[in-house]
Amino acid sequence: QVRLVESGGGLVQAGGSLRLSCAASGRTFSGDAMGWFRQAPGKEREFVAAISWSSGITYYRDSVKGRFTISRANAKNTVDLQMNSLKPEDTAIYYCAAGPFLTMGEYEYSYWGQGTQVTVSS
């Protein structure tokens, strides 16, 4: 059974940093992509970043480019999201997801974690 477990969320002041981690288990993900999405209260879930397990190619949404970095540790089956220069508008529940190929489209991702709350105070 595939399982994705996020960790690392919390409360941080604007300008601060957090590092989210997603631990994947239950199958081999070598040919897949991993993505991070977020959902703020009253808003639709949106793409944040994604990475290919095999090539390491990354995608980011424009508003996080230069501030967030997605990385993977293949041996550990983990994907991290380093978030720097956080802004109040980054406040959301952040979800890890796994899919068959690298894409920004959430409907292409088959497996999802339960989410971790990130709150950025002004």
Side-chain angles (χ1 to χ4, degrees):
Q1 181 179 357
V2 175
R3 190 167 182 229
L4 304 178
V5 179
E6 303 97 336
S7 61
L11 173 64
V12 65
Q13 288 188 329
S17 299
L18 281 175
R19 188 176 184 89
L20 305 184
S21 187
C22 174
S25 62
R27 56 165 283 187
T28 302
F29 291 90
S30 59
D32 294 26
M34 299 294 289
W36 285 96
F37 292 78
R38 66 187 181 188
Q39 187 167 21
K43 294 189 176 182
E44 302 268 321
R45 187 159 60 187
E46 63 183 20
F47 170 80
V48 177
I51 187 167
S52 165
W53 276 113
S54 56
S55 68
I57 294 173
T58 57
Y59 290 169
Y60 295 94
R61 72 178 296 108
D62 287 345
S63 63
V64 307
K65 285 180 181 177
R67 300 189 297 124
F68 290 12
T69 303
I70 188 171
S71 61
R72 86 255 194 246
N74 290 33
K76 297 180 181 179
N77 251 18
T78 59
V79 174
D80 291 348
L81 185 68
Q82 177 66 43
M83 305 186 295
N84 299 327
S85 302
L86 282 161
K87 305 175 181 179
E89 51 264 42
D90 294 317
T91 295
I93 299 174
Y94 282 70
Y95 298 91
C96 172
F101 54 88
L102 189 61
T103 176
M104 298 182 186
E106 68 172 291
Y107 296 108
E108 306 295 342
Y109 288 84
S110 307
Y111 305 103
W112 292 82
Q114 293 299 305
T116 185
Q117 176 70 47
V118 171
T119 303
V120 184
S121 63
S122 57

